[in-house]
Amino acid sequence: QVQLVESGGGLVQAGRSLRLSCAASGSIFSVDDLGWYRQAPGKQRELVATITSGGTPNYAESVKGRFTISRDSAKKTVYLQMNSLKPEDTAVYYCNLQGPGFRRPYEYIYWGQGTQVTVSS
């Protein structure tokens, strides 16, 4: 059973930084594509950033230049470094694991429970 546990959310002032972590258990991890999504109140869940099993990142336009996704296969952890935070970044952030990365469609998709990020103006 794959489990994803996020941490690092909280309340921060605009312009500051936060780093989210997502630790995976029960998966191979190194062959999986990983991502961060977010959902603000009253809005649909949206993609923030993804990183392939090979380490190629992809970002939503709204976070390019401010957020950085990275992965540590030894620790089975994916990170989201969020700089220059804005009030519009306020949302619940969800970790996502899909795999294996070399197969389409994916054989499995898992989600974490989410972590709240609140940015005050």
Side-chain angles (χ1 to χ4, degrees):
Q1 181 70 19
V2 174
Q3 286 190 322
L4 302 174
V5 179
E6 298 109 332
S7 60
L11 172 63
V12 65
Q13 287 185 327
R16 305 296 291 270
S17 299
L18 278 176
R19 189 177 81 154
L20 304 182
S21 301
C22 173
S25 61
S27 77
I28 297 175
F29 190 86
S30 61
V31 301
D32 299 322
D33 293 343
L34 305 165
W36 288 95
Y37 291 71
R38 67 188 181 187
Q39 187 167 17
K43 295 187 176 181
Q44 290 190 331
R45 191 173 297 188
E46 63 176 4
L47 181 149
V48 176
T50 62
I51 186 166
T52 68
S53 56
T56 301
N58 179 59
Y59 298 95
E61 286 295 324
S62 60
V63 306
K64 276 184 180 178
R66 300 188 297 123
F67 290 11
T68 303
I69 189 171
S70 61
R71 61 189 294 161
D72 185 332
S73 291
K75 295 183 178 179
K76 291 191 175 183
T77 300
V78 60
Y79 304 97
L80 185 68
Q81 178 66 44
M82 305 185 294
N83 299 329
S84 302
L85 283 161
K86 304 175 180 180
E88 51 263 42
D89 294 318
T90 295
V92 178
Y93 284 70
Y94 296 92
C95 175
N96 166 272
L97 181 151
Q98 305 182 89
F102 51 81
R103 188 157 292 161
R104 297 292 186 278
Y106 289 117
E107 292 184 355
Y108 47 84
I109 301 174
Y110 295 97
W111 293 91
Q113 81 287 352
T115 186
Q116 177 71 45
V117 172
T118 303
V119 184
S120 63
S121 57

